[in-house]
Amino acid sequence: MRPILSLLLSILILSCSPKQKDHFEADIIIYGGTSAGITAAVQAKKMGKSVIVVSPDRHLGGLSSGGLGFTDTGNKAVIGGLAREFYHRLYLHYEQDSAWKWQKREEYGNKGQGTPAIDGENRTMWIFEPHAAERVFEDFVKENQLEIHRNEWLDREGGVVKENGEITSFRTLSGKIYRGKVFIDATYEGDLVAAAGVSYHVGREGNSMYDETWNGVQVGVYQHRHYFRDSISAYKIPGDPSSGLLPEISPNLPGKNGDGDKLLQAYNFRMALSRNPDNRVPFAKPANYDPARYELLARVYEAGWNQTFEKYDPIPNLKTDTNNHGPFSTDYIGKNYDYPEASYERRKEIIKEHEDYQKGLMYFLSNDPKVPEDVRKEMANYGLAKDEFTDNGNWPHQIYVREARRMVGAYVMTEHDVLGAKEVPQPVGMGSYSLDSHNTQRFVTPGGYVQNEGDIGVHPKQPYSISYGTLVPKKEDCSNLLVPVCVSSSHTAFGSIRMEPVFMILGQSAAAAASLAIDEGIAVQDLDYEKLRKVLLEEKQVLEN
């Protein structure tokens, strides 16, 4: 009896072991609870695969539920599959009278990008409130019984285990181990890409690398309205270099046009502001508020600038998706360069610095006598929406990471692909937005004036396909990883690809590819494209013109 008792005791100890409780296994492990991560998980379930979403964030949907409600969609006809289902569900939400708490439906201006916000013909809603988007993602989770592990952060220092060129598992900071057959990095930062030893790029490539035109430094290129049109002195005492630079201006030279650098387009928060007095929170004075850091904006006003409210874009219920606009706005230019590869602690500091800057800006606009009276009077009608981001002081829980790491994978999308100069192989989705980069730096011209650099906006002639090769690493780097957000592309191409509808499209396509690769027991790079194409078309993805 002793051996049997010993065996039973061993089984009992093993079953109760805390270590085993911290081990999780599924066919597909998705790191990141962004819009791409959730659509990927839904598609994996549809194809009969077990899946776990490991999300550093508590809130799902990334920017789609984090304030970016005035959707950068481009040509809506190329948005298919689960992405279109997302916007259809928002349409159904706003069909309900109960969705219009602070505004009557008929009072909503229905302004969208290229088409009306409420597209009755196609039963889609392109413009929406953050909480409505988050509800759709949570409905996806509930209906598909998705397993979501929230507030789990990848151990980026040795937490990824690879064998024979494959990821076998990764560990989070809490000690949990996740083992899978195929992994998907759906984060904005590309942390799993980097931790797995996959090639990537940060910053702008030189034009010479891919024979591009719009990459690298772009001094004197003004394709939007986010530059200084007037000669505004960069110095504390106008015209006196010995007085020192005003805050928020770099002392560095901008570089030579077309050359590459490590600079990033600026980040900001997409605030949800309310114009309803019963649903707004006044802009509070930050503890570390210093009006001097906004002196440059005061000089812009003094020069006659009057476009403060041009990107207070209306979303339902008397709210706005408020974005950067003009030479000095919510983009915190030049303060994010180390974010992609920074530690979690440093990233928190960078996010807090952006939050302090932007909250201070809103207080400055509302109260400072250097701001024109008509602007301050209009600002009095706005405040943070009281019913949004209710567990975060009504402040967005997601900073707008417009660009971080970009994988260098099996195929690199460049501006030649986006602008239609070449045929894109093995399409898995489409994009259509302009090559859109926000400013990367603010510098002093030889004449002593301030200027911004890095903002571009080049429009494709028509929608373009996105290659399967942009989702997969080079085979020698890793054979069981797909990347639908930090895709393999140049800085210029990513400026168009980086839109939330596209991330949802690519997330779904990545999961379909992962599922097929598991079925056949092959590397994701060896997948028969025609089999993937068949599945994607069945899922109503739009692949080509």
Side-chain angles (χ1 to χ4, degrees), residues 329-398:
S329 185
T330 59
D331 277 0
Y332 198 21
I333 298 173
K335 308 299 182 177
N336 59 345
Y337 299 155
D338 59 336
Y339 180 89
E341 301 192 87
S343 66
Y344 292 134
E345 291 74 19
R346 175 60 186 140
R347 282 183 186 168
K348 287 180 182 178
E349 292 173 357
I350 294 169
I351 291 169
K352 184 62 166 60
E353 289 163 5
H354 280 70
E355 180 179 335
D356 288 346
Y357 164 80
Q358 198 162 328
K359 285 182 174 179
L361 174 64
M362 303 312 289
Y363 185 81
F364 178 84
L365 289 170
S366 303
N367 296 278
D368 199 283
K370 291 185 177 180
V371 175
E373 184 178 1
D374 62 327
V375 174
R376 283 181 281 135
K377 184 176 180 180
E378 179 65 18
M379 282 295 298
N381 295 317
Y382 290 94
L384 297 176
K386 191 183 296 184
D387 60 350
E388 300 289 353
F389 314 121
T390 55
D391 62 348
N392 196 42
N394 309 113
W395 192 255
H397 44 70
Q398 174 69 60

Side-chain angles (χ1 to χ4, degrees), residues 66 84 131 153 155 185 198 243 267 297 361 371 420 448 463-464 482:
R84 197 167 194 86
H131 76 268
W153 299 78
D155 182 349
D185 185 340
V198 171
S243 65
Y267 299 171
L297 178 57
L361 174 64
V371 175
Y464 58 91
L482 292 116

Side-chain angles (χ1 to χ4, degrees), residues 471-486:
L471 306 185
V472 297
K474 290 176 284 190
K475 194 174 181 181
E476 60 267 28
D477 281 352
C478 187
S479 59
N480 68 335
L481 175 68
L482 292 116
V483 184
V485 177
C486 295

Side-chain angles (χ1 to χ4, degrees), residues 35-101:
S35 59
I38 300 307
T39 56
V42 172
Q43 182 61 32
K45 269 300 190 76
K46 290 179 73 172
M47 296 181 71
K49 299 296 176 283
S50 59
V51 59
I52 300 174
V53 177
V54 183
S55 174
D57 305 298
R58 296 185 182 277
H59 295 274
L60 303 179
L63 259 298
S64 283
S65 60
L68 208 167
F70 197 75
T71 311
D72 294 330
T73 46
N75 188 320
K76 278 74 170 174
V78 304
I79 300 173
L82 288 170
R84 197 167 194 86
E85 173 67 13
F86 172 79
Y87 297 108
H88 172 61
R89 290 187 178 216
L90 286 166
Y91 174 85
L92 295 179
H93 169 74
Y94 287 107
E95 279 285 278
Q96 304 172 62
D97 291 340
S98 60
W100 299 90
K101 181 177 180 180

